[in-house]
């Protein structure tokens, strides 16, 4: 990123593959469909000068190798695989296979199968790393990223489906995903022989005990007599992977909060009043960007999106985030749902913590409206975050408005969180709640829900 532009320096050895890719009608098809990032050569920028400016000489490449500069449109809010529910990883896997298979007929192949090649525009995956494509030998029947695809996509999806382990855990603990050796001890004797674990885990583990680690011949490029035969082998592999990926479609699971929207603590009248209050506030503000903290299944995110906002919805429960993604995809709503706990937000990751920016680094001062509906008491009690700190973060996140809900300590769900520590919140009242926010916001509108202990506020950030 440089001056608001997404630029990438391309070295001379990569130009031939890039040119073949950019001139491919298949690439244009995927770009027009919105599944592949658009790319253009920034002819007005000198590649060597930009290479030096970005300080990339530390890569070991001579700046004379810089050939051209590629520019891509900006993705409004980048997200990473460790923030996706299993449903989004599955969508990214399907897109990776579809694009990889489509280019085989043009002599172009994917040289890696990393989920980080994908970003999301709302609920839709977009392949963004165009330098992952290379010209390939049409007589080579081997897809070298196969093992990487298994580690980064298939095994996390399989473990999620079988054991309910959030797919984000492997992404957080390492860049290599899940190895068969990591999964093998988790399997019972019977499960080791069941699909998909027998072919993805058991057989590779057994074979690894028979093949010396220093044997690198399996990674060498191969060539068979007959291009047609090689193409047949490759297409058969992609066909099997597509079929297996479909079988690993995440199941619609349940969690403690997945039924909250349908069976919450509001009376029908109060929930209707809350919905109308939020709709009016958003209609008056007409925000372009909204952050919905504690989005649950996305009911209020959808209200904002239907009014034209780009919404990022976050929740710590991967089950409800997955349901939000399904709803957004079905209605084609501009909602990006992410598994993020605002009390413990995603940290920066990668080398020197510079490869993946933290959630707050991407969020501060970005959103016109921040919604914190029925979530503050969770952050206070479960996260043990002082109300003063919550107000300070809300002021940093929003550029203008805060839609927030007060839930009193006498509320049934509030008491279910305190677990006998009710005395710690005995001093929490509406007046005390308001006082913490009045230091940073002005209250524009408020509504006390008639039959509950809850109140809604529209607050405007002080300048």
């Amino acid at each position: 990123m440089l001056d608001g532009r997404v630029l990438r320096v391309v070295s001379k050895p990569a130009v031939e593959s890039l040119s073949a890719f950019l001139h491919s009608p298949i690439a244009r098809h995927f770009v027009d469909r919105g599944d592949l990032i658009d790319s253009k050569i920034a002819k007005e920028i000198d590649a060597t000068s930009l290479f030096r400016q970005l300080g990339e000489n530390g890569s070991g490449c001579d700046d004379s190798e810089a050939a051209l500069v590629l520019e891509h449109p900006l993705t409004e809010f980048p997200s990473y695989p460790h923030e996706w529910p299993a449903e989004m990883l599955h969508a990214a896997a399907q897109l990776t296979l579809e694009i990889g298979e489509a280019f085989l007929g043009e002599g172009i192949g994917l040289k890696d199968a990393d989920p980080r090649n994908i970003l999301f525009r709302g609920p839709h995956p977009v392949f963004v790393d165009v330098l992952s494509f290379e010209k390939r030998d049409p007589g080579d029947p081997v897809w070298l990223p196969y093992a990487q695809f298994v580690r980064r996509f298939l095994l996390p999806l399989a473990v999620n489906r079988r054991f309910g382990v959030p797919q984000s855990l492997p992404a957080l603990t390492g860049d290599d995903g899940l190895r068969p050796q990591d999964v093998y001890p988790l399997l019972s004797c019977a499960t080791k022989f069941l699909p998909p674990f027998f072919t993805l885990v058991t057989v590779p583990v057994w074979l690894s005990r028979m093949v010396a680690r220093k044997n690198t011949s399996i990674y060498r490029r191969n060539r068979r007599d007959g291009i047609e035969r090689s193409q047949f082998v490759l297409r058969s592999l992609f066909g099997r992977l597509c079929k297996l990926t479909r079988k690993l479609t995440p199941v619609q699971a349940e969690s403690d909060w997945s039924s909250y929207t349908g069976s919450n603590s509001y009376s029908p009248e109060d929930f209707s009043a809350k919905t109308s209050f939020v709709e009016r506030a958003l209609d008056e503000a007409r925000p372009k960007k909204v952050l919905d903290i504690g989005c649950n299944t996305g009911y209020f995110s959808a209200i904002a999106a239907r009014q034209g906002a780009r919404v990022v919805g976050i929740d710590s429960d991967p089950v409800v985030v997955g349901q939000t993604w399904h709803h957004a995809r079905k209605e084609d709503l501009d909602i990006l749902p992410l598994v993020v706990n605002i009390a413990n937000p995603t940290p920066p990751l990668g080398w020197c913590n510079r490869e993946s920016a933290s959630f707050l680094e991407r969020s501060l001062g970005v959103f016109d409206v921040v919604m914190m509906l029925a979530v503050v008491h969770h952050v206070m009690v479960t996260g043990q975050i002082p109300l003063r700190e919550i107000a300070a973060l809300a002021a940093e996140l929003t550029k203008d408005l805060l839609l927030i809900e007060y839930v009193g300590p006498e509320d049934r769900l509030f008491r279910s969180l305190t677990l006998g520590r009710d005395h710690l919140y005995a001093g929490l009242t509406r007046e005390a709640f308001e006082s913490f926010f009045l230091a940073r916001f002005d209250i524009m509108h408020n509504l006390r829900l008639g039959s509950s202990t809850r109140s809604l506020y529209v607050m405007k950030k002080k300048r």
Side-chain angles (χ1 to χ4, degrees):
M1 177 80 77
L2 186 66
D3 298 328
R5 300 174 70 181
V6 180
L7 304 174
R8 187 168 187 177
V9 178
V10 181
S11 64
K12 291 178 181 177
V15 169
E16 183 181 1
S17 290
L18 176 64
S19 179
F21 168 79
L22 292 179
H23 289 90
S24 165
I26 294 179
R28 178 46 51 188
H29 165 74
F30 280 107
V31 169
D32 293 342
R33 231 174 61 172
D35 294 331
L36 179 67
I37 198 74
D38 201 2
S39 309
K40 69 175 184 178
I41 297 174
K43 297 180 179 179
E44 76 280 9
I45 301 177
D46 180 71
T48 302
S49 299
L50 181 60
F51 187 87
R52 293 171 180 168
Q53 182 180 349
L54 296 176
E56 293 184 356
N57 285 334
S59 65
C61 299
D62 190 279
D63 56 19
S64 64
E65 288 294 294
L68 56 86
V69 176
L70 204 61
E71 182 170 7
H72 307 292
L74 178 67
T75 299
E76 288 289 340
F77 196 92
S79 64
Y80 305 109
H82 49 270
E83 298 172 325
W84 301 344
E87 289 82 354
M88 291 172 67
L89 182 71
H90 185 262
Q94 289 183 308
L95 180 59
T96 298
L97 290 177
E98 183 182 3
I99 285 182
E101 184 178 19
F103 278 97
L104 291 179
E106 303 217 353
I108 298 173
L110 274 176
K111 60 185 177 183
D112 66 78
D114 193 325
R116 292 172 298 185
N117 291 340
I118 307 285
L119 291 176
F120 277 79
R121 291 174 180 154
H124 303 290
V126 183
F127 198 100
V128 297
D129 190 1
V130 298
L131 293 185
S132 287
F133 296 90
E134 64 177 357
K135 293 189 71 174
R136 59 173 290 120
D137 183 345
D140 184 354
V142 176
W143 189 47
L144 291 179
Y146 168 80
Q148 185 185 31
F149 185 83
V150 171
R151 293 192 306 268
R152 298 304 307 274
F153 287 105
L154 295 186
L155 286 182
L157 289 170
V159 170
N160 172 265
R161 186 179 174 96
R162 179 76 181 186
F163 302 108
V165 176
Q167 74 82 20
S168 58
L169 291 181
L172 278 169
T173 54
D175 290 337
D176 202 31
L178 278 179
R179 302 173 303 157
Q181 297 91 325
D182 300 325
V183 179
Y184 189 80
L186 304 177
L187 306 179
S188 67
C189 290
T191 307
K192 287 182 172 70
F193 292 91
L194 296 176
F197 295 105
F198 182 68
T199 55
L200 295 183
V201 176
T202 306
V203 171
V205 168
W206 289 351
L207 289 176
S208 70
R209 296 170 181 173
M210 300 168 56
V211 179
R213 288 189 176 184
K214 294 184 179 180
N215 181 4
T216 59
S217 62
I218 57 175
Y219 301 109
R220 294 174 188 160
R221 297 184 183 273
N222 283 301
R223 182 177 179 85
R224 291 189 178 182
D225 292 334
I227 292 177
E228 290 186 5
R229 180 181 297 180
S230 297
Q231 290 288 309
F232 175 79
V233 172
L234 268 176
R235 292 194 181 279
S236 296
L237 172 65
F238 273 89
R240 291 195 300 273
L241 288 175
C242 288
K243 184 177 180 180
L244 181 53
T245 302
R246 285 194 297 271
K247 289 184 177 180
L248 292 176
T249 300
V251 296
Q252 290 291 302
E254 292 186 0
S255 70
D256 291 341
W257 300 104
S258 57
S259 60
Y260 176 78
T261 301
S263 58
N264 49 54
S265 59
Y266 303 92
S267 67
E269 294 78 16
D270 281 351
F271 192 75
S272 177
K274 177 178 177 177
T275 299
S276 297
F277 183 87
V278 172
E279 287 176 337
R280 285 196 302 271
L282 292 173
D283 185 57
E284 290 179 8
R286 288 292 169 180
K288 294 181 179 179
K289 299 178 183 179
V290 171
L291 174 62
D292 186 3
I293 300 175
C295 65
N296 197 256
T297 56
Y299 179 84
F300 292 100
S301 294
I303 290 176
R306 291 188 193 109
Q307 294 190 8
R310 289 179 173 172
V311 182
V312 175
I314 65 171
D315 202 290
S316 60
D317 184 347
V319 173
V320 300
V321 175
Q323 292 180 9
T324 300
W325 180 83
H326 273 296
H327 298 156
R329 190 71 181 261
K330 184 178 180 180
E331 290 192 49
D332 195 24
L333 297 175
D334 197 344
I335 301 173
L336 174 63
L338 300 175
V339 183
V340 175
N341 181 356
I342 195 61
N344 186 25
T346 313
L349 295 176
W351 177 252
C352 295
N353 284 355
R354 292 200 297 262
E355 291 185 40
S356 300
S358 73
F359 177 77
L360 292 184
E361 186 179 346
R362 286 168 279 150
S363 302
L364 296 181
V366 168
F367 300 98
D368 306 303
V369 171
V370 170
M371 300 195 295
M372 302 181 73
L373 303 172
V375 71
V376 171
H377 58 301
H378 289 278
V379 180
M380 288 177 57
V381 178
T382 306
Q384 300 185 38
I385 308 298
L387 194 54
R388 180 180 290 103
E389 293 294 325
I390 298 173
L393 178 59
E396 289 189 79
L397 289 170
T398 184
K399 293 193 294 184
D400 191 20
L401 295 183
L402 173 66
L403 271 64
I404 195 165
E405 183 170 0
Y406 165 78
V407 179
E410 65 275 21
D411 184 90
R412 176 177 59 85
L413 286 182
F414 195 115
R415 293 198 305 272
S416 72
L417 298 174
T418 58
L419 301 174
R421 297 170 294 163
D422 306 62
H423 62 283
L424 297 177
Y425 306 96
L428 179 61
T429 63
R430 282 182 177 81
E431 292 72 24
F433 176 87
E434 292 173 4
S435 68
F436 282 107
F437 286 88
L438 285 173
R440 301 173 185 274
F441 295 91
D442 294 315
I443 297 176
M444 308 299 293
H445 307 288
N446 70 295
L447 173 67
R448 182 167 181 171
L449 299 176
S451 59
S452 76
T453 61
R454 306 184 174 207
S455 295
L456 298 163
Y457 298 87
V458 178
M459 300 184 180
K460 188 173 182 63
K461 183 177 177 178
K462 291 182 176 180
R463 304 301 176 190

